[in-house]
Amino acid sequence: MSDNFRLRYRRRPVRWTLGILLALGLFLFSLEEVALRLRVPPFRDSLGQIQVHRLYVLKKARNKVDILPAEWEPQSCVRAVFPHRGLTPCWWLARHTEQQIEME
């Protein structure tokens, strides 16, 4: 057997694994989207709000930076594993409550 033949069959399990993982991720995302649209379970709201502390980062000359704290603000989030409808998942937002906004 040639080396080219062996390499082709050696890569096949990796491609199958990546394809299955991609298909599983797309299936879970679409299942979650349907559940959000149908409000499953009906007693749980699909949207939430988390208080976020914003910091304005002003870039100055010679690599100097000013940081201006802002008020705590409520930010809407979606109670899901993946981001949906342009909203960040609540589990991720709860772990990243400090957000920096860069300004020049």
Side-chain angles (χ1 to χ4, degrees), residues 67-86:
I67 297 176
L68 304 171
E71 297 285 325
W72 286 85
E73 298 177 7
Q75 184 171 344
S76 296
C77 59
V78 64
R79 291 188 176 122
V81 177
F82 300 106
H84 291 276
R85 304 177 196 153

Side-chain angles (χ1 to χ4, degrees), residues 48-52 73-77 89-91 93-95 97:
Q49 280 193 340
I50 293 182
Q51 294 289 328
V52 175
E73 298 177 7
Q75 184 171 344
S76 296
C77 59
C90 289
W91 65 266
L93 197 58
R95 289 167 177 79
T97 56

Side-chain angles (χ1 to χ4, degrees), residues 2 5 7 9 12 14 24-27 29 37 39-40 43 51 54 58 68 71 75 78-79 81 85 90-91 97 102:
S2 68
F5 181 77
L7 281 176
Y9 283 99
R12 193 173 274 181
V14 174
L24 182 64
L26 288 172
F27 173 74
F29 177 80
R37 288 186 189 270
R39 293 183 182 249
V40 176
F43 55 84
Q51 294 289 328
R54 296 182 193 250
L58 302 172
L68 304 171
E71 297 285 325
Q75 184 171 344
V78 64
R79 291 188 176 122
V81 177
R85 304 177 196 153
C90 289
W91 65 266
T97 56
E102 294 185 11

